[in-house]
Amino acid sequence: MAKVLCVLYPDPSGGYPPPLVRDGLPQLEHYPDGQTLPSPSAIDFTPGALLGSVSGELGLRRFLEDAGHELVVTADKDGDNSEFDRHLADADVVISQPFWPAYLTAERIEKAPNLKLALTAGIGSDHVDLDAAIAHGVTVAEVTYCNSISVAEHVVMMILSLVRNYLPSNRIASEGGWDISDCVSRAFDLEGMDVGTVAAGRIGLAVLRRLAPFDVRLHYTDRHRLPTEIEQELNLTFHESAAAMVPHCDVVTVNAPLHSETRGMFDDDLIATMRRGAYLINTARGLIADREAVVRALESGQLAGYAGDVWYPQPAPPDHPWRSMPNHGMTPHISGSTLSAQARYAAGTREILESFFGGTPVRDEYLIVDGGKLAGAGAHSYSKGG
Ligand code: NDP
């Protein structure tokens, strides 16, 4: 019998469950690159239901308890003597979502002698100290691709929102105004702009594909170059580094994992090389951008807008300056937790648990750390020492 400790975000303020907005979800056949969707033996939830909050339990309770395991679900994850800390001491498996991350620091991993699996219900396992996981033989896995398209759609929405000054204009309409000059004095067309992505993995490439019909010039940088056919199909300009790319862009979107190479990448120096009035969209991880540098750039007008849904720490404190800086389009960390994405990552979480408890290999594309080293998707996208 194993103890599974699951950290999820709190239930809706109006109580659980919230009303179902739509009847069911569109059926997808597979992911865009052909990767198969999560394939557990069964699911015990209704696709389209809220699964990522405490009472949603990722639809796991019946499956785990029928197999004799213990499931503890909590949102209380930070501070001394949190419920998470109390249960971690004898937990075999920890499940957490990047939206409400249970930070598995080296110190916490040290205090969890039974821990064998740290499972990210989503993508991005930077809330786990990967070096400590490697040192302690903890397997780290995530549900690769489950919400990549969800985030790509969000990026496109945020680019258009900023460039066209949508959010302030919506506010003016809601508040009874008709101040067209105030709405349009910061509004532009995206058409003809140069748009670049830092990283062209699953999300970055999906953003490029979705933006191509807008008649923009597309740029990217990545550690590995995309196949020539894709570069030609989308008319992409490749740059050796973010530093080489950003001076050529009106809009920059960040779609790389957080690790030693990307932490603090968008600092004063890099932002100073961007075009004046450029837009920066970061849905990757908050720590990839220097918090104060972003505020300074918005205040000076070096950046015309900054949007994203990722912060550090999460949840962000009420006085976090990104809540009040000018011309921002920030949201809480939501882009990868649409109800559509939740159905996929809940199913993927169950698939990984079925493999883990059944003694069969976890899909290689889900692995980040295994057998004391970076593995699978992790070996490709992360760096040791990050
Ligand atoms: P992928 O692994 O498909 O893509 C990541 C890409 O980043 C890879 O192409 C990788 O390069 C590239 N990369 C890594 N380091 C660098 C670097 N130093 N410079 C340039 N490129 C780099 O992941 P996804 O696209 O699915 O997700 C990307 C990130 O987005 C996640 O790690 C996560 O942090 C974030 N995310 C955010 C979500 C949200 O809700 N806001 C939800 C899901 C993900 P290569 O493989 O070629 O070496």
Side-chain angles (χ1 to χ4, degrees):
M1 190 193 111
K3 176 168 179 175
V4 178
L5 174 56
C6 187
V7 177
L8 300 175
Y9 45 76
D11 284 341
S13 43
Y16 189 94
L20 275 180
V21 178
R22 295 174 55 84
D23 300 325
L25 297 174
Q27 294 289 320
L28 304 182
E29 299 295 320
H30 49 70
Y31 292 117
D33 69 352
Q35 182 183 315
T36 49
L37 294 163
S39 47
S41 60
I43 54 167
D44 299 321
F45 59 81
T46 306
L50 178 63
L51 303 167
S53 76
V54 170
S55 298
E57 300 181 324
L58 295 175
L60 292 172
R61 185 167 295 279
R62 187 165 4 136
F63 154 66
L64 287 171
E65 290 186 346
D66 283 358
H69 303 301
E70 180 189 358
L71 174 66
V72 175
V73 185
T74 181
D76 180 21
K77 67 185 184 71
D78 296 316
D80 293 340
N81 206 26
S82 65
E83 208 177 334
F84 174 66
D85 271 322
R86 287 202 301 279
H87 286 285
L88 185 61
D90 60 347
D92 298 277
V93 177
V94 165
I95 304 173
S96 161
Q97 300 169 107
F99 323 105
W100 189 262
Y103 294 107
L104 263 179
T105 58
E107 195 188 10
R108 275 174 158 171
I109 290 177
E110 196 75 49
K111 289 184 193 154
N114 295 351
L115 187 63
K116 295 169 204 69
L117 175 66
L119 205 169
T120 303
I123 303 174
S125 297
D126 48 273
H127 58 282
V128 180
D129 186 315
L130 298 184
D131 292 327
I134 288 170
H136 286 78
V138 176
T139 295
V140 182
E142 60 186 46
V143 190
T144 305
Y145 231 139
C146 65
N147 55 16
S148 302
I149 302 305
S150 322
V151 179
E153 290 186 3
H154 206 84
V155 171
V156 174
M157 175 187 81
M158 284 182 155
I159 291 174
L160 288 168
S161 300
L162 289 184
V163 172
R164 304 198 59 93
N165 205 33
Y166 168 64
L167 291 170
S169 306
N170 175 257
R171 211 169 299 129
I172 285 172
S174 300
E175 290 168 358
W178 196 260
D179 312 308
I180 294 177
S181 295
D182 288 344
C183 297
V184 300
S185 53
R186 297 188 66 85
F188 298 89
D189 294 346
L190 186 61
E191 184 183 29
M193 287 192 174
D194 288 275
V195 183
T197 175
V198 177
R202 295 175 183 83
I203 297 174
L205 178 57
V207 170
L208 292 169
R209 284 197 181 289
R210 278 155 183 74
L211 287 176
F214 282 88
D215 289 333
V216 290
R217 282 185 297 276
L218 293 171
H219 303 251
Y220 81 102
T221 182
D222 196 292
R223 298 195 303 193
H224 301 89
R225 214 161 156 165
L226 289 166
T228 314
E229 315 84 78
I230 296 183
E231 287 194 351
Q232 286 170 352
E233 177 198 339
L234 299 173
N235 197 17
L236 303 179
T237 303
F238 173 75
H239 301 264
E240 289 295 338
S241 63
M245 181 183 81
V246 302
H248 304 285
C249 295
D250 303 290
V251 179
V252 173
T253 155
V254 188
N255 298 296
L258 173 66
H259 57 100
S260 53
E261 296 163 19
T262 55
R263 183 178 298 260
M265 180 184 262
F266 281 85
D267 57 9
D268 286 308
D269 290 345
L270 186 63
I271 293 173
T273 68
M274 296 173 75
R275 291 180 178 165
R276 196 185 76 80
Y279 303 89
L280 182 57
I281 287 80
N282 175 14
T283 53
R285 284 296 177 261
L287 288 175
I288 295 177
D290 180 303
R291 192 175 81 158
E292 309 307 331
V294 167
V295 176
R296 280 191 285 273
L298 287 168
E299 285 174 353
S300 72
Q302 172 60 13
L303 287 178
Y306 180 95
D309 65 334
V310 284
W311 313 62
Y312 186 81
Q314 290 188 177
D319 62 350
H320 193 295
W322 288 4
R323 292 183 188 270
S324 54
M325 61 193 179
N327 302 314
H328 79 81
M330 296 300 298
T331 64
H333 193 166
I334 54 167
S335 64
S337 194
T338 56
L339 297 171
S340 324
Q342 288 175 42
R344 290 188 292 273
Y345 65 69
T349 299
R350 174 154 172 179
E351 179 189 334
I352 292 170
L353 290 172
E354 285 181 359
S355 304
F356 177 75
F357 289 127
T360 54
V362 172
R363 276 201 225 187
D364 207 42
E365 61 253 37
Y366 290 164
L367 287 173
I368 302 299
V369 168
D370 195 37
K373 56 181 180 353
L374 289 172
H380 193 72
S381 292
Y382 286 85
S383 298
K384 198 167 178 301

